[in-house]
Amino acid sequence: MEIKTEIQNILNVVEAKIGRGLNVDHSKMEIGLDHNRNNQALTIKVLSILGGILATLAFVVFLYVARFDKSQTALYCFSALFFILSLWMNKRYDKVLLDTISVCLYLLGYVLFGMATDISRVEPFVCHLLFSLFAIATLIISRSYILTFISVLIFTGSLIAVIFDFHHPDLLHVLLSITALMTVNFALNEAKFLKINFTSGKRYQAIRTGLTFSYLICLYFVGRSLSDENWAYNYISSAILISILMWLINCLLNRFHCEEMGKKIFIFIVVLVCLGFTAISPAISGSLLLLLLSFKVNYRTGVALGIMGFIYFIGMFYYDLNITLLQKSLIMFGSGVFFILLYFLIFKKSNSHEKA
């Protein structure tokens, strides 16, 4: 009863702020509250997940004991059965144990299908394209958070695998740019996507999280190309990501009512100088973009991933530099001095404005 009263008070505050009434489906709200109230304890959930994983592993052992791993027909049949069964269980039941088993069966279906195509001598790119089609089909059919999230990752991983199958790593930069634009669009237009039936509710959260991880995966593979012969494409990707980052910084400055053109120009110049020296590694500007984007929309998972990615890609950039350790040390020392001076400059300006 206290929760209902608190929710009604929040609705009254919102209605008072926007100046009009809200149409709220109280029956669905009741169902949602009852669903959350009946959720199992964390210990039960963990044990259920472990039980589902162990059950799946036991079935894999059975396949090897029965020698089904040598028969491509059996592998294709079991793969199709697992895909259908996992989607059916996911739509039919809402239990932690069954949900875990359905996800395990879904992933096992991909494994068995890959084993079957390997026995059949199918070209790898055909197998990866089929994986991406399976992932799209799952996105259309499933309404589960975890299956939607996994499908987005599998789709991105399949596209990356196809790019490497055709030996065109430069296409990773195209995929990175598309993924970055989709991630930004999905994060900034949450209200619009929540109105669409296909991306409503938990599906929006799953797709957003999947896009965030896919974006980091693309950054990782692009960041690895620092020593490749196609490293020149890194500057193009950096230019695109830095352009989006500058636009996002401008949005944040307007949000915090920073309207002085001198301040904006100073901030833009500092960002361009700092990121310009690392333009050969798009992963650095890309992780910073994810960090600021997540901060703007208050997406805590994205903030944490952005911080970890930024630290990792900075370290990888430092490690991959083809210079001596002494030169690396001087660069790190110079960067540290620059950022310390920049901090004191900004701190001094902020104090002078507060006194004024």
Side-chain angles (χ1 to χ4, degrees), residues 90-106:
N90 207 268
K91 290 180 70 70
R92 184 72 175 81
Y93 300 102
D94 192 22
K95 301 293 184 181
V96 177
L97 176 61
L98 295 177
D99 191 47
T100 305
I101 293 177
S102 69
V103 172
C104 293
L105 290 177
Y106 181 73

Side-chain angles (χ1 to χ4, degrees), residues 145-256:
Y145 178 94
I146 189 65
L147 280 187
T148 303
F149 169 70
I150 292 174
S151 300
V152 174
L153 291 184
I154 290 176
F155 180 75
T156 305
S158 300
L159 292 182
I160 293 174
V162 169
I163 289 173
F164 282 110
D165 289 335
F166 286 103
H167 304 289
H168 283 292
D170 47 297
L171 293 178
L172 285 172
H173 299 275
V174 179
L175 181 61
L176 172 62
S177 301
I178 295 174
T179 307
L181 291 173
M182 290 181 64
T183 304
V184 171
N185 182 50
F186 222 79
L188 295 180
N189 296 294
E190 179 178 355
K192 183 191 299 183
F193 284 106
L194 287 175
K195 292 179 181 178
I196 303 173
N197 186 45
F198 179 75
T199 55
S200 61
K202 291 184 178 180
R203 283 177 59 81
Y204 170 82
Q205 300 176 9
I207 296 174
R208 181 180 64 175
T209 306
L211 283 174
T212 302
F213 277 90
S214 299
Y215 176 62
L216 284 175
I217 291 171
C218 292
L219 286 177
Y220 170 76
F221 281 101
V222 169
R224 288 179 56 190
S225 62
L226 183 61
S227 58
D228 296 343
E229 58 182 8
N230 295 320
W231 57 268
Y233 291 104
N234 290 1
Y235 289 106
I236 300 175
S237 293
S238 291
I240 295 173
L241 295 175
I242 291 174
S243 300
I244 301 174
L245 182 63
M246 298 296 287
W247 172 78
L248 188 61
I249 290 174
N250 184 59
C251 293
L252 287 171
L253 291 176
N254 294 333
R255 177 180 174 181
F256 291 113

Side-chain angles (χ1 to χ4, degrees), residues 209 212-213 216 287 290 299-310:
T209 306
T212 302
F213 277 90
L216 284 175
S287 57
L290 176 61
Y299 180 39
R300 295 181 180 178
T301 304
V303 171
L305 291 174
I307 293 173
M308 290 187 292
F310 185 71

Side-chain angles (χ1 to χ4, degrees), residues 34-48:
D34 291 336
H35 177 75
N36 291 333
R37 197 178 294 115
N38 293 327
N39 278 344
Q40 296 169 317
L42 179 61
T43 306
I44 302 299
K45 290 182 179 181
V46 172
L47 291 175
S48 300

Side-chain angles (χ1 to χ4, degrees), residues 59 75-91 101-117 127 130-139 141-142 147 150-151 154 158:
F59 189 82
L75 290 174
Y76 278 126
C77 292
F78 276 117
S79 176
L81 176 64
F82 289 162
F83 278 128
I84 296 171
L85 188 61
S86 64
L87 293 175
W88 176 78
M89 289 176 63
N90 207 268
K91 290 180 70 70
I101 293 177
S102 69
V103 172
C104 293
L105 290 177
Y106 181 73
L107 295 175
L108 188 57
Y110 278 101
V111 174
L112 295 181
F113 186 83
M115 292 171 60
T117 55
C127 177
L130 290 174
F131 278 4
S132 63
L133 293 177
F134 292 158
I136 293 174
T138 305
L139 282 173
I141 297 172
S142 175
L147 280 187
I150 292 174
S151 300
I154 290 176
S158 300

